[in-house]
């Protein structure tokens, strides 16, 4: 349950702050740049409707020609979707080059204990006027982490004289609690995914910061899908926990291997040697 | 790195007490509590000049035997949880901790001699990686419950190096650069 609902208006859909810089990429980037707000949704749903409709009419008329055409068109659409996914993966990890950088809405995924302490360290060095509004998400069973984030945010209000947009704190269902049976966890996983989707539709962050709790994986995957569909282009930063010296955590490994994280930071040099796309940043603690 | 831990961490209060603080955090780690409660470990601690043993036993079931300080032994006291762990860490001369990164870095920041005991019963034991790495860099000692008394016997807190404070600025710089924000 989100403990505090977002009250201010959401940022506009499809505000593409991420205009590609070179002309070579512009052809594939066209849908993202030219589509007006809202069209991104309709683009996908229209193509799905078209496939369904053309199949149905082909079945009714029993016309082989019509069936063949709809086959070709649907294969074409699937091809476009695959190309788009490849394009998003290709673009992931490419730095943004905005003409005049504006503040970016930022989602911070908090873990428990040590994870939160590391994230708070990162946040306290980031310029708060660049990363706002800020949204914090923690697991529904974890009250401590949000508490620590609140302490940090309260300290900011004091220093800035109340000029900042207040941060939002939300909780997310976990797909599986420790000790839960596998059969019931199918249901809770579905609920957790739906909840993550709902929160992401509401937030549509431009920046996602996460450092390892399992809850960040569904959120980052949804952010990736939003990139593919064209709802929002978000930059995903993942900081692997200092406790990981030789091997990545499961969340880290997934986001690294699937090319979902734009930048992947590790705190030990031996991990960087093992995962060359990662960036070594030294110890955060 | 010139300052040795001995000067920084080892506190002897007005009564000449030298306290060993054992912490398991929020975990269940009876093997550690049982290990520090053994005769060998207590004798080794006394031989090293420690007078008091305070155990934070967390969710554990094994309760150590409380005892007053007598000639030739350390006094033993325990509790389950406390909001003043930081105070206990500060007043300790030696910390024996589970391998949680929170406890480890809190102790290192206070520049206390630290022995981390790895819980071998945990399924996914990635935590030993951190303790072993930091032990290799000579910031702490890493032990198992059964080898704790050897570690205490062989330790020389002067050979430990202070842990340099962490720095989040490199991460912040890379994030800013990626998003196209100018460097300050």
């Amino acid at each position: 349950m989100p403990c505090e609902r977002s009250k201010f208006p959401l940022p506009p859909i499809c505000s593409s702050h991420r205009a590609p810089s070179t002309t070579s990429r512009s052809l594939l980037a066209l849908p993202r740049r030219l589509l007006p707000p809202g069209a991104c949704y309709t683009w996908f749903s229209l193509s799905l409707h078209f496939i369904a409709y053309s199949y149905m009419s082909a079945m009714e008329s029993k016309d082989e020609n019509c069936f063949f055409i709809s086959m070709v068109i649907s294969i074409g659409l699937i091809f476009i979707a695959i190309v788009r996914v490849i394009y998003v993966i290709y673009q992931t990890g490419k730095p943004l080059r905005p003409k005049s950088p504006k503040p970016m809405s930022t989602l911070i995924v908090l873990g428990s204990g040590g994870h939160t302490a590391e994230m708070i360290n990162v946040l306290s060095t980031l310029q708060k006027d660049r990363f706002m509004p800020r949204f914090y998400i923690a697991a529904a069973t974890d009250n401590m982490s949000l508490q620590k984030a609140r302490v940090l945010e309260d300290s900011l209000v004091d220093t800035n004289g109340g000029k900042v947009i207040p941060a939002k704190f939300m909780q997310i269902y976990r797909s599986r609690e420790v000790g839960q049976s596998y059969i019931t966890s199918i249901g809770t996983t579905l609920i957790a995914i739906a909840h993550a989707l709902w929160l992401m539709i509401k937030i549509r962050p431009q920046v996602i910061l996460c450092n390892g709790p399992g809850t960040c994986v569904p959120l980052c995957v949804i952010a990736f899908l939003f990139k593919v569909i064209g709802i929002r282009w978000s930059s995903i930063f993942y900081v692997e926990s200092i406790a990981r010296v030789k091997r990545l955590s499961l969340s880290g490994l997934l986001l690294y291997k699937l090319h979902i994280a734009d930048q992947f930071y590790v705190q030990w040099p031996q991990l960087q040697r093992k995962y060359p796309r990662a960036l070594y940043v030294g110890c955060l603690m | 790195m010139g300052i040795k831990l001995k000067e920084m961490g080892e506190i002897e209060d007005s009564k000449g007490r030298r306290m060993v603080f054992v912490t398991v955090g929020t975990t269940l780690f009876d093997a550690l509590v049982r290990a520090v409660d053994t005769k060998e470990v207590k004798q080794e601690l006394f031989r090293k000049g420690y007078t008091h043993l305070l155990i934070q036993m967390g969710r554990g079931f094994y309760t150590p035997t409380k005892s007053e300080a007598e000639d030739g032994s350390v006094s033993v006291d325990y509790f389950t949880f406390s909001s003043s762990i930081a105070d206990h860490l500060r007043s300790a001369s030696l910390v024996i901790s589970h391998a949680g990164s929170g406890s480890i870095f809190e102790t290192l920041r206070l520049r206390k001699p630290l022995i981390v005991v790895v819980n071998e019963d945990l399924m996914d034991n990635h935590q030993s990686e951190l303790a072993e790495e930091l032990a290799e860099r000579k910031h702490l000692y890493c032990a198992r419950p059964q080898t704790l008394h050897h570690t205490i016997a062989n330790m020389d807190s002067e050979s430990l190096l202070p842990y340099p404070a962490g720095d989040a600025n490199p991460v912040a710089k890379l994030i800013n650069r990626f998003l196209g924000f100018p460097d300050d």
Side-chain angles (χ1 to χ4, degrees):
Chain A
M1 278 294 278
C3 54
E4 209 177 305
R5 283 180 190 281
S6 149
K7 284 188 196 80
F8 55 87
L10 289 164
I13 301 158
C14 262
S15 68
S16 71
H17 62 275
R18 193 181 202 275
S21 53
T22 54
T23 43
S24 62
R25 302 181 204 150
S26 60
L27 191 67
L28 279 166
L30 270 178
R32 202 174 72 210
R33 292 166 76 190
L34 295 185
L35 286 177
C40 323
Y41 299 111
T42 41
W43 182 69
F44 238 65
S45 63
L46 267 181
S47 50
L48 284 177
H49 273 112
F50 181 80
I51 294 174
Y53 177 75
S54 50
Y55 269 115
M56 272 163 65
S57 55
M59 292 302 199
E60 272 170 22
S61 62
K62 294 202 169 81
D63 184 345
E64 273 188 17
N65 247 344
C66 186
F67 187 76
F68 180 73
I69 290 168
S70 61
M71 274 284 279
V72 168
I73 290 174
S74 41
I75 287 169
L77 286 172
I78 290 165
F79 177 74
I80 290 171
I82 291 169
V83 169
R84 174 72 186 168
V85 168
I86 292 167
Y87 169 76
V88 169
I89 289 175
Y90 169 76
Q91 282 291 299
T92 297
K94 296 255 187 320
L96 313 187
R97 293 190 197 83
K99 285 192 185 99
S100 54
K102 291 187 191 74
M104 298 172 112
S105 62
T106 304
L107 169 66
I108 299 135
V109 190
L110 295 172
S112 54
H115 289 292
T116 304
E118 288 174 39
M119 183 55 86
I120 298 284
N121 273 1
V122 173
L123 291 175
S124 48
T125 51
L126 284 177
Q127 293 85 342
K128 308 301 173 302
D129 51 338
R130 292 177 178 176
F131 298 88
M132 62 178 197
R134 287 181 292 283
F135 302 87
Y136 292 88
I137 288 190
T141 45
D142 174 19
N143 288 318
M144 289 296 290
S145 300
L146 286 183
Q147 208 64 47
K148 284 178 191 155
R150 277 210 179 89
V151 171
L152 176 80
E153 288 292 334
D154 289 346
S155 71
L156 299 176
V157 175
D158 290 343
T159 52
N160 282 329
K163 265 201 294 183
V164 283
I165 306 170
K168 300 277 175 256
F169 302 91
M170 297 158 173
Q171 287 182 307
I172 190 167
Y173 293 117
R174 279 172 59 163
S175 45
R176 188 169 172 270
E177 294 298 338
V178 179
Q180 191 185 334
S181 83
Y182 282 101
I183 299 163
T184 56
S185 69
I186 297 171
T188 49
T189 303
L190 289 176
I191 293 171
I193 290 170
H195 190 218
L197 189 61
W198 167 240
L199 289 178
M200 284 297 284
I201 288 170
K202 282 207 301 181
I203 302 172
R204 278 173 284 129
Q206 291 167 296
V207 175
I208 300 178
L209 301 175
C210 48
N211 68 339
T215 39
C216 76
V217 176
L219 294 169
C220 290
V221 170
I222 291 167
F224 182 82
L225 293 178
F226 281 10
K227 280 174 161 179
V228 171
I229 301 170
I231 293 177
R232 165 73 83 198
W233 192 274
S234 45
S235 305
I236 301 171
F237 301 97
Y238 183 90
V239 191
E240 187 57 287
S241 158
I242 195 165
R244 301 294 177 157
V245 181
K246 292 179 189 137
R247 286 170 300 154
L248 293 181
S249 63
L250 185 60
S251 324
L253 197 66
L254 282 172
L255 296 182
Y256 181 89
K257 291 279 182 198
L258 297 175
H259 291 254
I260 287 176
D262 284 271
Q263 291 214 311
F264 194 98
Y265 306 119
V266 292
Q267 303 188 43
W268 296 102
Q270 50 269 56
L271 262 187
Q272 200 272 331
R273 284 196 288 274
K274 214 167 155 188
Y275 301 94
R277 277 188 287 120
L279 295 160
Y280 168 61
V281 289
C283 293
L284 286 177
M285 293 294 284
Chain B
M1 290 281 196
I3 315 155
K4 287 287 178 238
L5 277 172
K6 186 131 192 160
E7 298 153 35
M8 303 295 302
E10 299 249 326
I11 293 178
E12 208 170 286
D13 68 12
S14 51
K15 294 174 206 148
R17 298 186 336 160
R18 289 179 76 225
M19 204 243 297
V20 180
F21 182 53
V22 181
T23 177
V24 304
T26 53
T27 66
L28 194 166
F29 193 3
D30 272 343
L32 172 58
V33 181
R34 214 171 254 142
V36 291
D37 198 34
T38 56
K39 214 171 149 198
E40 290 97 340
V41 167
K42 284 194 272 193
Q43 265 173 0
E44 254 352 298
L45 288 174
F46 186 77
R47 212 168 289 153
K48 288 275 172 183
Y50 299 103
T51 56
H52 289 68
L53 179 59
L54 181 59
I55 303 165
Q56 184 260 319
M57 53 178 275
R59 298 193 288 119
F61 301 108
Y62 176 82
T63 45
T65 36
K66 280 192 190 196
S67 67
E68 292 300 312
E70 292 158 27
D71 279 347
S73 75
V74 291
S75 82
V76 181
D77 199 0
Y78 66 87
F79 61 91
T80 52
F81 293 103
S82 162
S83 54
S84 55
I85 295 286
D87 296 332
H88 292 303
L89 287 175
R90 220 167 280 130
S91 58
S93 305
L94 169 69
V95 179
I96 300 175
S97 164
H98 74 124
S101 67
S103 301
I104 290 180
F105 288 107
E106 200 172 350
T107 312
L108 290 179
R109 219 170 294 132
L110 292 167
R111 306 212 161 168
K112 300 286 179 181
L114 170 63
I115 301 174
V116 171
V117 181
V118 175
N119 190 350
E120 288 166 320
D121 299 335
L122 290 180
M123 294 284 277
D124 166 34
N125 204 350
H126 72 269
Q127 284 191 320
S128 69
E129 284 181 18
L130 177 65
E132 277 156 13
E133 178 68 28
L134 291 169
E136 220 161 89
R137 291 168 184 244
K138 291 207 174 305
H139 298 305
L140 50 81
Y141 292 101
C142 186
R144 312 276 150 174
Q146 358 16 317
T147 62
L148 182 59
H149 62 281
H150 287 302
T151 311
I152 296 169
N154 300 329
M155 74 174 187
D156 169 22
S157 50
E158 277 190 64
S159 71
L160 289 177
L161 301 169
Y163 180 78
D167 184 10
N169 281 310
V171 170
K173 209 173 203 173
L174 286 170
I175 291 175
N176 272 303
R177 219 173 266 170
F178 185 90
L179 297 173
F181 290 116
D183 283 338
D184 290 318

